[in-house]
Amino acid sequence: MALTGFDHLVVRVNDIDEGIATYRDRLGLTLDRIDESEALGIKQAFFNMPNGGFIEIVAPTNADSAVGKALEGRGEGMHTIALEVDDLAATCEAMKEGGAQLIGEGGPQVFVHPKSTHGILLQLSVRQ
């Protein structure tokens, strides 16, 4: 089991347009695309980073989504750090043995619950 790299980070915001303006206008990043996930109840904006990876800005489309609930409880800010691993199953087993609470085992990506990581949702996946 090994973490092999950084993939992306996700920042939750109340308003997607304000989030885009912050990262585009104040920080000078180039907006790659905007999307929406009905299944997750979010609007998304993607900013590619020059040295690889990307920053994803998310805003809820309904208050009952995971992002909506996180905004209500914790406010705007860092939501997810996505990391690459060499072996997802082995990494999950090792993390569970270490006491981590996992979400979504068996899928192409697994999340480490924020209660296990001092308030940050970790996303684990193998680079395709």
Side-chain angles (χ1 to χ4, degrees), residues 5-128:
F6 166 82
D7 188 64
H8 68 279
L9 62 90
V10 181
V11 178
R12 65 181 174 270
V13 298
N14 287 310
D15 182 283
I16 195 71
D17 294 325
E18 288 180 17
I20 290 170
T22 296
Y23 283 79
R24 181 191 58 215
D25 302 340
R26 291 185 194 160
L27 302 179
L29 299 179
T30 301
L31 178 64
D32 180 56
R33 71 184 191 283
I34 299 172
D35 205 348
E36 186 170 331
S37 171
E38 242 181 82
L40 297 176
I42 58 172
K43 291 182 181 178
Q44 305 158 279
F46 297 87
F47 297 86
N48 290 329
M49 299 302 292
N51 63 346
F54 60 94
I55 296 175
E56 177 183 355
I57 308 301
V58 296
T61 57
N62 73 67
D64 291 331
S65 69
V67 170
K69 290 176 182 177
L71 273 168
E72 183 180 322
R74 296 189 303 268
E76 294 184 307
M78 181 67 66
H79 187 70
T80 307
I81 299 174
L83 302 171
E84 298 171 355
V85 299
D86 60 353
D87 183 324
L88 188 57
T91 300
C92 289
E93 285 306 311
M95 287 187 166
K96 284 193 304 188
E97 288 173 10
Q101 179 182 349
L102 303 181
I103 304 166
E105 277 186 272
Q109 59 192 6
V110 175
F111 294 89
V112 182
H113 196 283
K115 289 180 181 178
S116 296
T117 58
H118 300 279
I120 299 294
L121 181 69
L122 292 184
Q123 178 181 334
L124 307 172
S125 61
V126 176
R127 174 158 255 167
Q128 301 297 326

